[in-house]
Structure formats: structure tokens, C-alpha cells
Amino acid sequence: MAENILSKRDKPKLTHDGYLYVFDKCSKSDPLLMFWRCELKNECKGRIHTKNNEVAKEVNGHSHGASAVGVEVATIKTSLKRKAEETLEVPSTIINGCLENSSQAAQASLPNSEADWGHNPR
């Protein structure tokens, strides 16, 4: 759960038991209680509640299986994005550095070209 993964829009994501969650909202009665939704929010009802960065409650089951590869891919994408913002290295160097310790399954799940990375500056 301590991993710092970001969404496409730089919002925090949470990992728990092989699932990825996106922040939904804070509790009105307890500002330390945070509500998270499964990242597949249009397809899945899975939710969890956290308090002080610890899972306090799991709500509803997921309608899909857990994906360790999905978590690894999200971690790689966040790492790539951060390094690209923080360094002046060539993109190929950043990509190779981030992929050197990743599994083959994660590498196969990553987009093949820059156009598929979901980064469309406007």
C-alpha cells in the first residue's frame, strides 16, 4: 500500500491485494477516513476505506481477478513519468532504466509506441 502510483491525471492510486484503487472522497464525519474505488469503476463495485494509510474496511467484492502485472505496469508508468519530469536524460535511457528490473509479463503489457502512452499534450 505504500507504493506511490499516479493516474494519468496525476491523482494518487492505491494498491491492495493485487488491485488498484483511485481516490474517491474523504468521509464527511472523519477527515482521516478516505474512500477508494476500484480503478475499473465503470465495471467493478470494489471499494476500500483507509484510515491513517491503513486499510480499515473492504466494501463489495471485485467483478474481476487481481492483477500483479497491472500493479507493476502502473508502477513502471509512474516511474517513467517522474524520471522524465525530473531529469534531462534521453527518453530511451529513461525507458531502458525503468524496464531493466521489470518482469517480461509487465514489459509485454506496456504500450508499444509513444502514441499509446495516453500522453496527448494540447
Side-chain angles (χ1 to χ4, degrees):
M1 189 168 119
E3 290 184 69
N4 208 355
I5 299 174
L6 299 175
S7 70
K8 285 182 185 179
R9 295 191 173 123
D10 290 332
K11 303 293 182 191
K13 281 190 173 185
L14 177 79
T15 63
H16 180 68
D17 291 342
Y19 294 101
L20 283 167
Y21 298 88
V22 292
F23 177 72
D24 189 23
K25 59 186 173 182
C26 286
S27 171
K28 292 179 183 176
S29 60
D30 183 358
L32 296 177
L33 184 64
M34 299 172 74
F35 302 137
W36 301 80
R37 299 173 63 150
C38 177
E39 74 169 345
L40 303 175
K41 58 186 175 185
N42 294 331
E43 305 165 17
C44 180
K45 302 275 186 205
R47 295 174 182 260
I48 58 172
H49 301 173
T50 60
K51 189 168 187 173
N52 298 323
N53 293 326
E54 294 294 325
V55 175
K57 183 179 182 182
E58 292 186 47
V59 183
N60 299 330
H62 289 271
S63 60
H64 56 93
S67 174
V69 172
V71 172
E72 186 179 0
V73 167
T75 304
I76 292 169
K77 284 183 176 182
T78 298
S79 176
L80 286 167
K81 190 179 217 180
R82 281 200 184 120
K83 287 184 181 181
E85 292 173 350
E86 295 170 358
T87 68
L88 297 174
E89 294 178 3
V90 179
S92 61
T93 305
I94 295 171
I95 292 169
N96 290 335
C98 289
L99 295 180
E100 68 185 2
N101 293 325
S102 62
S103 68
Q104 288 183 341
Q107 290 179 17
S109 297
L110 286 167
N112 292 331
S113 68
E114 290 180 31
D116 296 333
W117 283 87
H119 182 17
N120 297 328
R122 295 177 192 217

